[in-house]
Amino acid sequence: MPAVFDYLQPEGYFKREEAEIEKLTRDIEHLPLPLQWEGSSQAGEKSEFNKNRRADESHEEYIRRRQFENAELHRWKLRVRAERQDFEAREQQKADRIAALKRLRRQKSDNLQAWLFRNFVMRNARGEQRDLISLFGMDHDYPPAGSGECCEPRLLQYAFAHGLRPVSMAMFWWGESPKQEVRHHLQFYPACSGKCKPILRWMLQGMDVDPNPLEQEETHELKIVYEDDTLCVVDKPAGMLSVPGKGCRESVLDVMRRRCPDATGALVVHRLDMATSGLMVVAKTAEAYRELQRQFATRSVRKRYVAILSRQPREPKGEIALPLRPDLDDRPRQVVDSVYGKPALTHYEIIDGCRVALYPRTGRTHQLRVHCAHRDGLDSPIKGDELYGRRAERLYLHAEWLAFRHPATGEEVEFTSVAPF
Protein backbone atom coordinates (compact mmCIF):
# COMPACT_ATOMS: atom_id res chain seq x y z
CA MET A 1 0.00 0.00 0.00
CA PRO A 2 1.25 3.53 -0.67
CA ALA A 3 2.12 5.79 2.22
CA VAL A 4 -0.65 7.98 3.63
CA PHE A 5 1.68 10.94 3.07
CA ASP A 6 4.93 10.61 1.12
CA TYR A 7 7.27 12.97 2.94
CA LEU A 8 10.55 11.36 1.84
CA GLN A 9 11.00 13.09 -1.52
CA PRO A 10 14.78 13.70 -1.92
CA GLU A 11 14.43 17.46 -2.47
CA GLY A 12 11.26 17.90 -0.45
CA TYR A 13 10.64 20.05 2.61
CA PHE A 14 11.06 17.19 5.11
CA LYS A 15 14.45 16.11 3.75
CA ARG A 16 15.75 19.69 3.66
CA GLU A 17 14.67 20.37 7.24
CA GLU A 18 15.97 17.00 8.38
CA ALA A 19 19.38 17.80 6.85
CA GLU A 20 19.49 21.11 8.77
CA ILE A 21 18.65 19.33 12.03
CA GLU A 22 21.37 16.74 11.39
CA LYS A 23 23.87 19.54 10.69
CA LEU A 24 22.96 21.18 14.00
CA THR A 25 23.57 17.85 15.73
CA ARG A 26 27.01 17.55 14.13
CA ASP A 27 27.84 21.15 15.09
CA ILE A 28 26.87 20.45 18.71
CA GLU A 29 28.93 17.26 18.81
CA HIS A 30 32.02 19.05 17.45
CA LEU A 31 31.88 21.97 19.88
CA PRO A 32 34.32 21.73 22.81
CA LEU A 33 32.52 20.92 26.04
CA PRO A 34 32.70 23.40 28.95
CA LEU A 35 35.44 22.58 31.48
CA GLN A 36 35.49 22.78 35.25
CA TRP A 37 37.93 25.12 37.01
CA GLU A 38 40.82 23.16 38.51
CA GLY A 39 42.87 25.99 40.05
CA SER A 40 45.87 28.09 39.09
CA SER A 41 49.27 26.75 38.06
CA GLN A 42 50.75 28.97 40.81
CA ALA A 43 48.68 27.31 43.55
CA GLY A 44 51.58 25.19 44.73
CA GLU A 45 53.91 28.17 45.02
CA LYS A 46 51.61 30.16 47.27
CA SER A 47 49.81 27.42 49.12
CA GLU A 48 51.98 27.63 52.26
CA PHE A 49 54.26 30.27 53.83
CA ASN A 50 56.56 29.76 56.80
CA LYS A 51 54.56 31.48 59.52
CA ASN A 52 57.05 30.80 62.29
CA ARG A 53 59.95 33.08 63.20
CA ARG A 54 63.31 31.70 62.07
CA ALA A 55 66.19 31.34 64.58
CA ASP A 56 68.45 33.83 62.72
CA GLU A 57 65.65 36.36 62.27
CA SER A 58 65.10 39.40 64.49
CA HIS A 59 61.64 40.42 65.54
CA GLU A 60 61.68 43.43 63.16
CA GLU A 61 62.87 41.21 60.25
CA TYR A 62 60.10 38.66 61.02
CA ILE A 63 57.44 41.42 60.98
CA ARG A 64 58.70 42.83 57.64
CA ARG A 65 58.86 39.34 56.11
CA ARG A 66 55.31 38.45 57.19
CA GLN A 67 53.98 41.76 55.89
CA PHE A 68 55.65 41.09 52.53
CA GLU A 69 54.33 37.52 52.36
CA ASN A 70 50.81 38.60 53.26
CA ALA A 71 50.90 41.23 50.51
CA GLU A 72 52.23 38.61 48.05
CA LEU A 73 49.44 36.22 49.04
CA HIS A 74 46.82 38.92 48.56
CA ARG A 75 48.21 39.79 45.09
CA TRP A 76 48.27 36.09 44.18
CA LYS A 77 44.63 35.62 45.26
CA LEU A 78 43.60 38.58 43.12
CA ARG A 79 45.42 37.09 40.10
CA VAL A 80 43.82 33.68 40.67
CA ARG A 81 40.39 35.25 41.05
CA ALA A 82 40.85 37.15 37.79
CA GLU A 83 42.09 33.97 36.06
CA ARG A 84 39.08 32.04 37.32
CA GLN A 85 36.61 34.72 36.25
CA ASP A 86 38.15 34.87 32.76
CA PHE A 87 38.14 31.05 32.54
CA GLU A 88 34.52 30.72 33.68
CA ALA A 89 33.41 33.48 31.31
CA ARG A 90 34.99 31.64 28.36
CA GLU A 91 33.46 28.30 29.42
CA GLN A 92 30.06 29.93 29.94
CA GLN A 93 30.22 31.22 26.37
CA LYS A 94 30.76 27.61 25.24
CA ALA A 95 27.80 26.42 27.35
CA ASP A 96 25.57 29.24 26.05
CA ARG A 97 26.50 28.40 22.47
CA ILE A 98 25.69 24.71 22.94
CA ALA A 99 22.40 25.52 24.71
CA ALA A 100 21.40 27.93 21.92
CA LEU A 101 22.08 25.31 19.25
CA LYS A 102 20.12 22.68 21.20
CA ARG A 103 17.16 25.06 21.54
CA LEU A 104 17.27 25.78 17.82
CA ARG A 105 17.45 22.05 17.06
CA ARG A 106 14.50 21.31 19.34
CA GLN A 107 12.47 24.13 17.79
CA LYS A 108 13.19 22.92 14.27
CA SER A 109 12.43 19.33 15.25
CA ASP A 110 9.11 20.30 16.86
CA ASN A 111 8.14 22.42 13.85
CA LEU A 112 9.01 19.58 11.48
CA GLN A 113 6.99 17.09 13.53
CA ALA A 114 4.00 19.43 13.61
CA TRP A 115 4.25 19.93 9.83
CA LEU A 116 4.49 16.18 9.29
CA PHE A 117 1.53 15.22 11.45
CA ARG A 118 -0.66 17.97 9.99
CA ASN A 119 -0.01 16.48 6.57
CA PHE A 120 -1.01 12.99 7.70
CA VAL A 121 -4.72 13.45 6.98
CA MET A 122 -6.65 10.27 7.77
CA ARG A 123 -9.98 9.28 6.23
CA ASN A 124 -12.77 7.34 7.88
CA ALA A 125 -15.67 5.26 6.62
CA ARG A 126 -18.00 8.29 6.67
CA GLY A 127 -15.79 10.16 4.21
CA GLU A 128 -14.53 12.59 6.87
CA GLN A 129 -10.87 13.63 7.19
CA ARG A 130 -8.74 14.69 10.16
CA ASP A 131 -5.01 15.17 10.68
CA LEU A 132 -3.06 13.25 13.30
CA ILE A 133 -2.59 16.18 15.67
CA SER A 134 -6.35 16.62 16.02
CA LEU A 135 -6.84 12.84 16.33
CA PHE A 136 -4.47 12.48 19.26
CA GLY A 137 -5.69 15.69 20.89
CA MET A 138 -4.47 17.23 24.12
CA ASP A 139 -3.30 13.93 25.63
CA HIS A 140 -0.09 14.17 23.59
CA ASP A 141 2.31 17.02 22.74
CA TYR A 142 2.64 15.25 19.41
CA PRO A 143 1.56 11.81 18.21
CA PRO A 144 4.19 9.08 18.72
CA ALA A 145 6.89 8.84 16.04
CA GLY A 146 5.77 6.64 13.15
CA SER A 147 2.05 7.24 13.69
CA GLY A 148 0.07 6.68 10.51
CA GLU A 149 2.78 4.57 8.90
CA CYS A 150 1.73 1.12 10.14
CA CYS A 151 0.03 -1.35 7.86
CA GLU A 152 -3.53 -1.09 9.26
CA PRO A 153 -3.98 2.71 8.78
CA ARG A 154 -2.39 2.49 5.32
CA LEU A 155 -4.72 -0.32 4.24
CA LEU A 156 -7.81 1.53 5.46
CA GLN A 157 -6.64 4.83 3.94
CA TYR A 158 -6.24 3.18 0.54
CA ALA A 159 -9.64 1.48 0.84
CA PHE A 160 -11.53 4.65 1.77
CA ALA A 161 -9.70 6.74 -0.85
CA HIS A 162 -10.73 4.26 -3.56
CA GLY A 163 -14.33 3.66 -2.46
CA LEU A 164 -13.65 0.17 -1.11
CA ARG A 165 -15.50 -1.30 1.87
CA PRO A 166 -13.26 -3.43 4.11
CA VAL A 167 -14.73 -6.81 5.09
CA SER A 168 -12.20 -7.88 7.74
CA MET A 169 -8.62 -7.18 8.64
CA ALA A 170 -6.02 -8.82 10.86
CA MET A 171 -2.29 -8.54 11.39
CA PHE A 172 0.05 -11.49 11.79
CA TRP A 173 3.78 -11.83 12.40
CA TRP A 174 6.08 -13.32 9.78
CA GLY A 175 9.52 -14.68 10.66
CA GLU A 176 11.63 -15.10 13.75
CA SER A 177 10.65 -13.33 16.96
CA PRO A 178 12.70 -10.23 17.83
CA LYS A 179 14.93 -10.39 20.88
CA GLN A 180 12.88 -8.15 23.18
CA GLU A 181 9.30 -8.78 22.14
CA VAL A 182 7.22 -11.94 21.96
CA ARG A 183 6.17 -12.53 18.36
CA HIS A 184 5.48 -15.95 16.88
CA HIS A 185 5.53 -16.81 13.19
CA LEU A 186 2.06 -16.67 11.56
CA GLN A 187 0.29 -15.70 14.80
CA PHE A 188 -2.18 -12.80 14.85
CA TYR A 189 -1.63 -9.72 17.02
CA PRO A 190 -3.81 -6.68 17.79
CA ALA A 191 -2.94 -3.16 16.75
CA CYS A 192 -0.52 -1.35 19.06
CA SER A 193 -2.18 0.79 21.73
CA GLY A 194 0.15 3.79 21.48
CA LYS A 195 0.21 4.58 17.77
CA CYS A 196 -2.52 2.70 15.92
CA LYS A 197 -5.58 2.39 18.15
CA PRO A 198 -6.31 6.15 18.41
CA ILE A 199 -6.10 6.35 14.62
CA LEU A 200 -8.17 3.22 13.98
CA ARG A 201 -10.95 4.40 16.29
CA TRP A 202 -11.37 7.38 13.98
CA MET A 203 -10.93 5.52 10.70
CA LEU A 204 -13.47 2.81 11.57
CA GLN A 205 -16.22 5.29 12.41
CA GLY A 206 -19.08 4.67 10.01
CA MET A 207 -18.49 0.91 9.89
CA ASP A 208 -20.22 -1.89 11.76
CA VAL A 209 -17.33 -3.08 13.95
CA ASP A 210 -17.49 -5.64 16.74
CA PRO A 211 -17.31 -3.76 20.06
CA ASN A 212 -14.22 -3.89 22.21
CA PRO A 213 -15.01 -6.32 25.07
CA LEU A 214 -13.02 -4.15 27.48
CA GLU A 215 -15.45 -1.30 26.88
CA GLN A 216 -18.59 -3.36 27.48
CA GLU A 217 -20.42 -3.36 30.77
CA GLU A 218 -20.15 -6.80 32.27
CA THR A 219 -20.69 -8.29 35.72
CA HIS A 220 -19.27 -11.44 37.28
CA GLU A 221 -19.90 -13.32 40.48
CA LEU A 222 -17.05 -12.82 42.93
CA LYS A 223 -16.59 -15.82 45.20
CA ILE A 224 -15.54 -15.11 48.81
CA VAL A 225 -13.00 -17.68 50.01
CA TYR A 226 -12.36 -16.17 53.46
CA GLU A 227 -13.43 -13.04 55.34
CA ASP A 228 -12.89 -11.45 58.75
CA ASP A 229 -12.82 -7.91 60.14
CA THR A 230 -9.36 -7.27 58.72
CA LEU A 231 -9.22 -8.78 55.25
CA CYS A 232 -11.03 -10.74 52.60
CA VAL A 233 -9.67 -13.38 50.22
CA VAL A 234 -11.61 -13.63 46.96
CA ASP A 235 -11.55 -15.95 43.96
CA LYS A 236 -11.59 -13.60 40.95
CA PRO A 237 -13.12 -15.02 37.77
CA ALA A 238 -11.43 -14.60 34.39
CA GLY A 239 -12.69 -11.49 32.62
CA MET A 240 -13.07 -9.39 35.76
CA LEU A 241 -10.81 -6.41 36.43
CA SER A 242 -8.90 -6.10 39.70
CA VAL A 243 -9.42 -2.31 39.82
CA PRO A 244 -11.64 -0.04 37.71
CA GLY A 245 -10.46 0.57 34.16
CA LYS A 246 -11.42 3.00 31.40
CA GLY A 247 -14.51 1.05 30.39
CA CYS A 248 -17.63 -0.03 32.23
CA ARG A 249 -16.45 -3.44 33.43
CA GLU A 250 -17.00 -4.21 37.06
CA SER A 251 -13.89 -4.75 39.18
CA VAL A 252 -12.99 -6.54 42.40
CA LEU A 253 -12.58 -3.16 44.06
CA ASP A 254 -16.10 -2.09 42.99
CA VAL A 255 -17.63 -5.25 44.48
CA MET A 256 -15.67 -4.99 47.73
CA ARG A 257 -16.59 -1.33 48.25
CA ARG A 258 -20.26 -2.25 47.95
CA ARG A 259 -19.81 -5.27 50.20
CA CYS A 260 -17.87 -3.37 52.90
CA PRO A 261 -19.18 0.23 52.81
CA ASP A 262 -18.03 0.94 56.37
CA ALA A 263 -14.53 -0.49 56.03
CA THR A 264 -11.65 1.97 56.38
CA GLY A 265 -9.82 0.17 53.63
CA ALA A 266 -11.41 -2.23 51.15
CA LEU A 267 -8.10 -1.80 49.36
CA VAL A 268 -6.77 -4.12 46.68
CA VAL A 269 -3.33 -5.16 47.89
CA HIS A 270 -2.20 -6.82 44.64
CA ARG A 271 -3.67 -7.39 41.20
CA LEU A 272 -4.34 -10.11 38.69
CA ASP A 273 -4.67 -9.50 34.96
CA MET A 274 -8.27 -9.28 33.80
CA ALA A 275 -7.85 -12.56 31.89
CA THR A 276 -6.31 -14.37 34.88
CA SER A 277 -8.51 -16.06 37.48
CA GLY A 278 -7.73 -16.97 41.06
CA LEU A 279 -6.97 -15.77 44.56
CA MET A 280 -6.63 -12.15 45.60
CA VAL A 281 -6.41 -10.64 49.08
CA VAL A 282 -8.24 -7.40 49.88
CA ALA A 283 -7.56 -5.35 53.01
CA LYS A 284 -10.46 -3.88 54.96
CA THR A 285 -8.36 -1.48 57.04
CA ALA A 286 -5.53 0.88 56.21
CA GLU A 287 -3.32 -0.86 58.78
CA ALA A 288 -3.90 -4.26 57.19
CA TYR A 289 -3.23 -2.78 53.77
CA ARG A 290 0.14 -1.35 54.84
CA GLU A 291 1.22 -4.61 56.48
CA LEU A 292 0.21 -6.74 53.48
CA GLN A 293 1.90 -4.29 51.14
CA ARG A 294 5.07 -4.67 53.22
CA GLN A 295 4.89 -8.45 52.90
CA PHE A 296 4.49 -8.23 49.13
CA ALA A 297 7.35 -5.70 48.91
CA THR A 298 9.69 -7.97 50.91
CA ARG A 299 8.57 -11.00 48.85
CA SER A 300 7.48 -12.94 51.90
CA VAL A 301 4.08 -13.67 50.33
CA ARG A 302 4.16 -17.03 48.56
CA LYS A 303 2.10 -17.70 45.42
CA ARG A 304 1.54 -20.58 43.06
CA TYR A 305 -0.18 -20.40 39.70
CA VAL A 306 -1.26 -23.22 37.43
CA ALA A 307 -1.19 -22.80 33.65
CA ILE A 308 -1.68 -24.84 30.52
CA LEU A 309 0.97 -24.08 27.91
CA SER A 310 0.72 -24.38 24.16
CA ARG A 311 3.39 -27.11 24.23
CA GLN A 312 5.33 -29.00 26.89
CA PRO A 313 8.57 -27.36 28.09
CA ARG A 314 11.81 -29.20 27.37
CA GLU A 315 12.96 -29.27 31.01
CA PRO A 316 10.73 -30.67 33.80
CA LYS A 317 11.53 -27.75 36.10
CA GLY A 318 13.73 -24.70 36.20
CA GLU A 319 14.07 -20.96 36.68
CA ILE A 320 13.41 -18.06 34.31
CA ALA A 321 15.12 -14.71 34.86
CA LEU A 322 14.17 -12.18 32.17
CA PRO A 323 14.01 -8.44 33.12
CA LEU A 324 10.84 -6.70 31.97
CA ARG A 325 9.66 -3.20 31.16
CA PRO A 326 6.51 -1.81 29.49
CA ASP A 327 6.36 -1.48 25.72
CA LEU A 328 5.92 2.30 25.69
CA ASP A 329 4.16 2.31 22.30
CA ASP A 330 1.92 -0.67 23.03
CA ARG A 331 0.81 -0.84 26.65
CA PRO A 332 0.05 -3.09 28.47
CA ARG A 333 2.44 -5.34 26.53
CA GLN A 334 5.79 -5.96 28.19
CA VAL A 335 9.19 -6.52 26.58
CA VAL A 336 12.40 -8.13 27.79
CA ASP A 337 15.11 -5.50 28.27
CA SER A 338 18.44 -6.32 29.91
CA VAL A 339 19.34 -2.60 30.19
CA TYR A 340 16.19 -0.83 31.39
CA GLY A 341 14.03 -3.76 32.51
CA LYS A 342 13.27 -4.56 36.16
CA PRO A 343 14.44 -7.95 37.47
CA ALA A 344 11.80 -10.68 37.13
CA LEU A 345 12.24 -14.24 38.41
CA THR A 346 9.94 -17.25 38.00
CA HIS A 347 10.34 -20.89 39.06
CA TYR A 348 8.35 -23.54 37.23
CA GLU A 349 7.75 -27.29 37.26
CA ILE A 350 5.73 -29.55 34.98
CA ILE A 351 2.67 -31.11 36.60
CA ASP A 352 1.55 -33.22 33.67
CA GLY A 353 2.19 -32.69 29.97
CA CYS A 354 1.50 -29.03 29.19
CA ARG A 355 0.12 -28.31 32.66
CA VAL A 356 2.71 -26.47 34.76
CA ALA A 357 3.00 -24.86 38.17
CA LEU A 358 4.48 -21.35 38.20
CA TYR A 359 6.04 -19.70 41.26
CA PRO A 360 6.68 -15.96 40.70
CA ARG A 361 9.41 -14.59 42.97
CA THR A 362 8.76 -11.05 41.74
CA GLY A 363 5.50 -9.39 40.74
CA ARG A 364 6.06 -7.68 37.39
CA THR A 365 3.19 -6.95 35.02
CA HIS A 366 2.58 -9.96 32.71
CA GLN A 367 5.62 -11.68 34.22
CA LEU A 368 4.30 -15.24 33.93
CA ARG A 369 2.84 -14.67 30.47
CA VAL A 370 6.07 -13.24 29.05
CA HIS A 371 8.33 -15.76 30.82
CA CYS A 372 6.31 -18.60 29.34
CA ALA A 373 6.02 -17.14 25.82
CA HIS A 374 9.46 -15.57 25.28
CA ARG A 375 12.00 -17.58 23.30
CA ASP A 376 14.55 -17.19 26.10
CA GLY A 377 11.97 -18.40 28.65
CA LEU A 378 9.84 -21.51 28.13
CA ASP A 379 9.20 -20.54 24.49
CA SER A 380 5.64 -21.80 24.97
CA PRO A 381 2.82 -19.24 25.36
CA ILE A 382 0.07 -19.90 27.88
CA LYS A 383 -2.97 -21.27 26.08
CA GLY A 384 -5.43 -18.50 25.27
CA ASP A 385 -2.90 -15.66 25.67
CA GLU A 386 -3.97 -13.31 22.89
CA LEU A 387 -1.16 -10.82 23.66
CA TYR A 388 1.77 -13.25 23.52
CA GLY A 389 0.23 -16.36 21.94
CA ARG A 390 -3.06 -17.45 20.41
CA ARG A 391 -6.58 -16.57 21.45
CA ALA A 392 -8.80 -19.27 22.97
CA GLU A 393 -12.02 -19.31 25.01
CA ARG A 394 -10.01 -17.97 27.99
CA LEU A 395 -6.48 -17.48 29.31
CA TYR A 396 -5.46 -20.74 30.97
CA LEU A 397 -3.74 -19.15 33.95
CA HIS A 398 -5.07 -19.41 37.51
CA ALA A 399 -3.72 -18.20 40.87
CA GLU A 400 -4.44 -21.37 42.85
CA TRP A 401 -2.49 -20.93 46.12
CA LEU A 402 -1.64 -17.94 48.32
CA ALA A 403 0.18 -17.85 51.70
CA PHE A 404 1.04 -14.90 53.95
CA ARG A 405 1.07 -13.75 57.59
CA HIS A 406 -2.28 -12.45 58.82
CA PRO A 407 -1.78 -8.70 59.42
CA ALA A 408 -3.78 -8.78 62.69
CA THR A 409 -2.71 -12.08 64.29
CA GLY A 410 0.71 -12.62 62.73
CA GLU A 411 -0.18 -16.26 62.03
CA GLU A 412 0.74 -17.92 58.74
CA VAL A 413 -2.40 -18.45 56.64
CA GLU A 414 -2.84 -20.09 53.29
CA PHE A 415 -5.69 -20.42 50.82
CA THR A 416 -6.35 -22.65 47.82
CA SER A 417 -8.60 -22.36 44.78
CA VAL A 418 -9.19 -25.17 42.30
CA ALA A 419 -8.42 -24.14 38.73
CA PRO A 420 -11.55 -24.13 36.52
CA PHE A 421 -9.69 -25.96 33.72
Side-chain angles (χ1 to χ4, degrees):
M1 292 296 105
V4 172
F5 173 58
D6 184 6
Y7 58 91
L8 296 177
Q9 297 297 325
E11 302 300 325
Y13 176 80
F14 184 88
K15 282 297 185 181
R16 293 197 310 271
E17 290 296 305
E18 185 181 53
E20 288 192 23
I21 293 170
E22 290 173 352
K23 182 180 182 302
L24 285 171
T25 298
R26 291 193 298 272
D27 291 344
I28 293 169
E29 290 173 347
H30 291 146
L31 283 175
L33 294 175
L35 303 174
Q36 295 294 322
W37 170 257
E38 294 182 356
S40 169
S41 60
Q42 303 179 42
E45 301 173 14
K46 301 298 182 183
S47 59
E48 187 65 41
F49 287 108
N50 184 2
K51 298 179 181 179
N52 298 320
R53 180 177 172 181
R54 296 196 291 265
D56 60 345
E57 191 174 38
S58 68
H59 180 72
E60 291 75 10
E61 290 172 332
Y62 169 72
I63 295 298
R64 287 196 298 272
R65 178 175 66 81
R66 291 297 294 136
Q67 289 174 340
F68 173 77
E69 288 175 349
N70 287 337
E72 278 286 283
L73 181 60
H74 179 68
R75 287 189 288 270
W76 173 77
K77 287 182 177 180
L78 291 176
R79 286 198 303 272
V80 170
R81 184 183 303 166
E83 286 179 12
R84 179 167 187 166
Q85 290 173 344
D86 290 344
F87 172 86
E88 290 179 343
R90 292 194 302 272
E91 298 310 305
Q92 186 60 48
Q93 287 179 346
K94 292 182 187 177
D96 292 344
R97 175 61 176 161
I98 291 172
L101 289 176
K102 286 183 175 180
R103 285 195 300 270
L104 180 59
R105 181 179 63 178
R106 178 61 185 268
Q107 181 182 358
K108 282 184 167 293
S109 179
D110 287 349
N111 291 341
L112 185 58
Q113 275 195 312
W115 174 86
L116 179 64
F117 292 132
R118 287 194 185 98
N119 279 280
F120 266 81
V121 179
M122 315 304 295
R123 300 170 179 263
N124 69 11
R126 296 193 184 110
E128 301 165 332
Q129 299 186 54
R130 287 178 64 181
D131 65 51
L132 288 184
I133 290 181
S134 66
L135 281 181
F136 280 82
M138 298 302 294
D139 293 337
H140 297 75
D141 292 334
Y142 289 106
S147 296
E149 299 186 58
C150 296
C151 55
E152 301 101 314
R154 289 171 64 171
L155 282 164
L156 290 175
Q157 185 82 352
Y158 184 89
F160 297 149
H162 291 79
L164 303 175
R165 194 75 174 177
V167 176
S168 65
M169 183 172 65
M171 180 178 71
F172 63 90
W173 182 265
W174 182 277
E176 186 179 358
S177 177
K179 181 67 175 175
Q180 288 187 319
E181 299 178 75
V182 176
R183 292 285 190 267
H184 296 281
H185 181 57
L186 293 180
Q187 288 193 195
F188 292 91
Y189 293 95
C192 66
S193 298
K195 291 190 290 188
C196 289
K197 284 187 179 177
I199 300 173
L200 295 179
R201 287 193 193 99
W202 159 256
M203 300 189 80
L204 292 172
Q205 290 182 20
M207 293 188 64
D208 184 16
V209 180
D210 290 339
N212 184 344
L214 293 178
E215 297 173 355
Q216 302 306 301
E217 186 171 356
E218 188 172 338
T219 59
H220 298 269
E221 181 181 354
L222 184 64
K223 180 181 177 182
I224 306 299
V225 176
Y226 171 84
E227 185 173 16
D228 60 25
D229 293 337
T230 304
L231 60 84
C232 187
V233 177
V234 302
D235 193 345
K236 184 185 85 68
M240 189 177 199
L241 293 167
S242 296
V243 296
K246 294 182 179 179
C248 303
R249 278 181 174 258
E250 190 174 54
S251 71
V252 172
L253 184 57
D254 295 328
V255 174
M256 293 307 300
R257 281 176 172 164
R258 290 199 302 270
R259 182 182 178 87
C260 310
D262 298 325
T264 60
L267 302 168
V268 173
V269 180
H270 63 120
R271 302 182 187 185
L272 295 177
D273 293 342
M274 185 187 74
T276 303
S277 58
L279 296 172
M280 288 180 58
V281 59
V282 179
K284 288 186 174 182
T285 68
E287 294 79 9
Y289 175 79
R290 286 193 293 269
E291 169 56 21
L292 289 168
Q293 280 274 289
R294 185 195 66 78
Q295 293 186 44
F296 274 96
T298 57
R299 301 178 187 175
S300 58
V301 177
R302 293 174 291 153
K303 296 169 282 184
R304 183 176 69 240
Y305 291 70
V306 63
I308 296 179
L309 305 185
S310 55
R311 54 183 173 272
Q312 184 173 332
R314 292 184 293 272
E315 300 296 330
K317 61 182 179 180
E319 180 178 282
I320 307 162
L322 296 173
L324 302 175
R325 67 162 175 82
D327 184 338
L328 300 180
D329 287 331
D330 197 9
R331 296 176 185 271
R333 287 182 63 92
Q334 305 292 303
V335 297
V336 173
D337 190 334
S338 59
V339 178
Y340 300 106
K342 293 183 178 180
L345 180 65
T346 303
H347 294 278
Y348 76 92
E349 59 183 1
I350 296 176
I351 301 172
D352 180 29
C354 294
R355 194 180 189 90
V356 298
L358 301 168
Y359 303 87
R361 303 308 187 204
T362 51
R364 309 300 176 203
T365 301
H366 293 183
Q367 175 177 318
L368 300 181
R369 297 167 69 173
V370 177
H371 279 184
C372 289
H374 196 272
R375 66 180 188 178
D376 293 333
L378 295 183
D379 196 23
S380 178
I382 297 172
K383 183 180 176 183
D385 191 344
E386 62 183 49
L387 281 181
Y388 307 103
R390 293 181 185 275
R391 178 180 295 184
E393 60 274 12
R394 65 156 290 165
L395 175 68
Y396 283 74
L397 178 63
H398 181 78
E400 69 168 3
W401 181 75
L402 183 66
F404 54 90
R405 289 198 174 277
H406 195 288
T409 67
E411 295 180 357
E412 183 82 10
V413 292
E414 60 179 80
F415 304 94
T416 304
S417 167
V418 178
F421 49 80

